[in-house]
Amino acid sequence: MADLTRWSAGIEGNFALHKAVSEVLPEGTEIVSAESCGTSSWTKTAKLSVILPSGTSKRYFLKCISGPGARALVEGEYHSASAIEVVVPGLVPKPAGWGQYNDGKSQVHFYLGDFHDMDLAVAPEPGELMSQIAELHQKGRSPNGMFGFPVPTVLGKFERTVTWEKSWAKAFARQLEDVIRYDNETNGSWPEYDAACRQLIDVVVPQLLGALQSEGRELKPAMIHGDLWENNVGIDMDTGKTIVFDPGSTYAHNEMEFGTWRCSWAFHFNSPVYMRLYQRHIEPSEPVEEWDDRNRLYSIHPYLNDSAGHPGSVSRQIAYNDMLYLCEKYGPLESLGKYDRSKDISVTGAYVPFTIHQLEQADNV
């Protein structure tokens, strides 16, 4: 049996590299250096500089993670990026592979892809980005015509359940149930909130999303990036092209992609120019007049994911207020709390910055 605690020797840099990583690279590749690189809440990351068998220099981006959901994160990202690369080449860093090793203390899973030196501060050019996202949604079609994905994918630390559904309302309700459970595991039960969640899933979702596939309407599953927000988009410093990264894809209603753009941490994508240019390529689904309500519903998922990943954040309260708005409109229930317009960020324009806490890089990752 191979030794699973093998470490590469004779390379420069401050990032200890397991030989399992080099086995993903083309045979005969020489690794020159491995340097800690980037900021991540859940993973440890590095830039690898290598010389390929052809003699060409190349750089790779390495992401390492251990613990629950580690395999789903790297395998899901690999399959997501591979699928996106096929549909819109160059939109995501090209994936190289994924794998695992034991660092002597725990099982570590890793993802490897092309490295891009990116500017993450500048706003992406709206026309270019929205044309590419629309192309992804139009050409990225489900292999079986159903909503779902072949492998689990991860958003932050949340693992998206793998199921295939013909009904989008059922598919989204299942995702919502999962993220509500994830939030409750972190923040505890809250009776008023639990009641709103139940009404949302049992009444609002079937009515609001069921309309997309009723009265003869057809809804084709579209491949979405799945975690498309400002900190997952950059401008390549060498080419000037827009790059999106960290996908956690699924085949879904295309409008789900933009739920996070409504959230309190949005700072570029809350500008209406992005959606206006996207809708030149893909018009809102029917019923068009319910587009904003669907967008509000889709924003609840990233809010609760953020709440679960960052206990004590305001995201749970914002999501709860949005639930009450939707329940009052699509499933009134006298026993529920009341929607508060003064807490609705789509009305107030409140901005809450999203904080990423950098994991400390250890000698052995």
Side-chain angles (χ1 to χ4, degrees):
M1 182 176 179
D3 179 12
L4 295 179
T5 57
R6 300 173 299 143
W7 299 93
S8 297
I11 63 174
E12 299 176 3
N14 63 352
F15 196 95
L17 195 67
H18 197 277
K19 289 183 178 178
V21 177
S22 63
E23 292 167 0
V24 172
L25 297 170
E27 186 175 355
T29 298
E30 176 189 351
I31 301 175
V32 178
S33 66
E35 296 279 355
S36 298
C37 177
T39 301
S40 173
S41 294
W42 321 116
T43 65
K44 296 175 181 177
T45 53
K47 177 177 66 175
L48 308 187
S49 297
V50 310
I51 299 176
L52 298 174
S54 63
T56 304
S57 296
K58 186 175 177 63
R59 296 177 296 176
Y60 289 97
F61 181 77
L62 174 67
K63 177 186 297 186
C64 300
I65 184 171
S66 58
R71 173 171 177 154
L73 187 148
V74 300
E75 183 181 17
E77 180 168 353
Y78 176 77
H79 283 276
S80 297
S82 297
I84 293 172
E85 173 67 14
V86 169
V87 176
V88 189
L91 179 58
V92 295
K94 189 174 182 179
W98 70 278
Q100 61 184 312
Y101 60 85
N102 192 293
D103 67 358
K105 294 178 288 187
S106 62
Q107 199 71 7
V108 178
H109 290 78
F110 67 88
Y111 171 80
L112 193 68
D114 282 2
F115 178 87
H116 291 261
D117 189 11
M118 289 184 284
D119 184 344
L120 303 180
V122 66
E125 200 284 313
E128 177 193 7
L129 176 63
M130 302 323 295
S131 173
Q132 290 179 304
I133 298 304
E135 185 178 2
L136 173 66
H137 293 171
Q138 289 170 323
K139 295 182 178 179
R141 291 304 182 189
S142 169
N144 56 16
M146 300 172 72
F147 299 98
F149 203 66
V151 300
T153 56
V154 173
L155 310 178
K157 295 180 71 176
F158 169 70
E159 184 173 331
R160 198 195 303 272
T161 297
V162 179
T163 59
W164 291 104
E165 295 280 358
K166 292 182 179 179
S167 162
W168 171 238
K170 289 182 180 179
F172 184 75
R174 188 182 296 272
Q175 292 190 42
L176 205 53
E177 286 176 324
D178 283 349
V179 79
I180 289 168
R181 182 170 57 252
Y182 177 42
D183 178 48
N184 280 338
E185 288 171 357
T186 302
N187 294 300
S189 182
W190 171 18
E192 294 84 357
Y193 165 78
D194 293 342
C197 289
R198 194 72 266 154
Q199 186 72 352
L200 188 75
I201 290 170
D202 291 347
V203 179
V204 175
V205 169
Q207 183 174 336
L208 183 55
L209 299 188
L212 295 165
Q213 292 176 290
S214 66
E215 301 179 9
R217 300 185 186 103
E218 183 181 6
L219 185 66
K220 294 182 178 179
M223 183 193 298
I224 64 172
H225 174 282
D227 196 14
L228 190 64
W229 67 297
E230 287 87 347
N231 281 8
N232 283 347
V233 182
I235 306 301
D236 188 299
M237 300 282 279
D238 296 322
T239 66
K241 293 182 178 179
T242 301
I243 302 289
V244 304
F245 51 94
D246 285 357
S249 294
T250 186
Y251 294 99
H253 181 206
N254 63 295
E255 292 176 9
M256 184 183 173
E257 188 83 273
F258 310 114
T260 190
W261 293 17
R262 190 189 191 96
C263 292
S264 58
W265 53 79
F267 55 92
H268 293 321
F269 296 149
N270 56 359
S271 168
V273 67
Y274 289 96
M275 190 52 57
R276 185 171 299 176
L277 290 176
Y278 174 82
Q279 290 175 350
R280 288 183 180 178
H281 300 279
I282 302 178
E283 295 181 350
S285 299
E286 294 285 353
V288 174
E289 64 274 14
E290 294 178 354
W291 182 93
D292 190 68
D293 291 337
R294 293 193 298 265
N295 185 246
R296 186 186 294 265
L297 175 63
Y298 293 147
S299 75
I300 290 172
H301 192 287
Y303 269 135
L304 295 185
N305 190 25
D306 175 65
S307 174
H310 303 87
S313 77
V314 298
S315 292
R316 198 186 210 201
Q317 284 284 351
I318 295 173
Y320 173 58
N321 196 51
D322 281 339
M323 290 180 195
L324 295 178
Y325 174 92
L326 293 169
C327 287
E328 288 180 11
K329 188 169 182 179
Y330 293 94
L333 194 62
E334 191 60 34
S335 59
L336 294 180
K338 302 302 179 185
Y339 160 73
D340 187 342
R341 180 179 172 85
S342 69
K343 296 179 180 178
D344 187 340
I345 70 150
S346 67
V347 175
T348 65
Y351 169 69
V352 180
F354 189 95
T355 303
I356 296 179
H357 300 285
Q358 172 70 58
L359 282 179
E360 293 184 2
Q361 302 285 0
D363 290 337
N364 287 344
V365 296

